[in-house]
Amino acid sequence: MKNVLFICIIFFLGCVTVQAQSKGAAKPSFNDSKEWLDVKFVAFHCKDSKTKGAKKELTEEGITIDATDLYQESIKWADVKNIMIIKAENKVKIIGPSTKKDLKKGLTTEMTGIDLYLCKATYDDLQKIVKALSHAATLKGAKIVADDMF
């Protein structure tokens, strides 16, 4: 009788273990996504001009692009509505209400999105970056509009 009970317990634990493994790996956290994106932003950093070579920074609040003494653009994660690739320009466009501060004139302009220029990134790289940005934005409260809606 003890052997049957022991076999039933082992069988039950085996089923629970198999079920837990079949659910797949957990999705990356915001910090995991941020770390991965930070590495990609360094790897694909543009040195062409001050505009394209602007520093990209991800924070808990959102994304900031800092072109040193020229301008600073930012968008809050919760304001992100869509993220798309502009293949011809090797950039990722993040759509949503954002701001651009002209650091020389001291003016702040409301914008409809920000551009992340990523030199030497392949289309596959850009797709992965869009996926990671979308995941991070969603974790921070963004409601991304589905591209395949219509």
Side-chain angles (χ1 to χ4, degrees):
M1 186 66 170
K2 288 182 184 180
N3 286 342
V4 172
L5 183 60
F6 179 73
I7 290 172
C8 288
I9 291 173
I10 295 297
F11 178 75
F12 175 74
L13 291 175
C15 290
V16 169
T17 303
V18 168
Q19 184 179 8
Q21 290 175 353
S22 67
K23 290 189 180 191
K27 291 272 187 179
S29 68
F30 173 78
N31 287 333
D32 293 336
S33 298
K34 179 188 178 313
E35 185 176 323
W36 187 88
L37 285 162
D38 285 342
V39 169
K40 296 302 177 188
F41 290 160
V42 170
F44 301 123
H45 179 74
C46 298
K47 296 176 184 162
D48 308 14
S49 68
K50 285 190 175 187
T51 304
K52 290 184 178 181
K55 181 182 176 195
K56 299 148 190 75
E57 183 179 3
L58 293 115
T59 66
E60 291 287 326
E61 291 79 37
I63 303 169
T64 300
I65 299 173
D66 190 355
T68 315
D69 56 349
L70 294 177
Y71 67 88
Q72 189 177 60
E73 291 181 306
S74 61
I75 187 169
K76 294 179 181 175
W77 289 116
D79 291 338
V80 173
K81 301 299 177 207
N82 201 347
I83 303 171
M84 59 181 47
I85 297 169
I86 310 297
K87 187 176 175 183
E89 298 179 42
N90 242 38
K91 73 179 178 182
V92 172
K93 185 159 192 71
I94 302 173
I95 309 294
S98 59
T99 58
K100 182 174 185 174
K101 294 178 188 173
D102 184 323
L103 300 176
K104 288 189 176 191
K105 295 178 183 174
L107 300 173
T108 300
T109 307
E110 298 297 318
M111 307 288 285
T112 59
I114 61 174
D115 296 331
L116 303 176
Y117 288 93
L118 301 160
C119 294
K120 299 183 183 173
T122 65
Y123 187 72
D124 186 51
D125 293 328
L126 294 173
Q127 287 179 313
K128 289 177 184 176
I129 288 168
V130 166
K131 185 175 180 181
L133 284 167
S134 297
H135 178 70
T138 302
L139 289 174
K140 291 297 181 181
K143 305 260 188 291
I144 306 287
V145 176
D147 282 335
D148 59 355
M149 186 180 288
F150 296 102

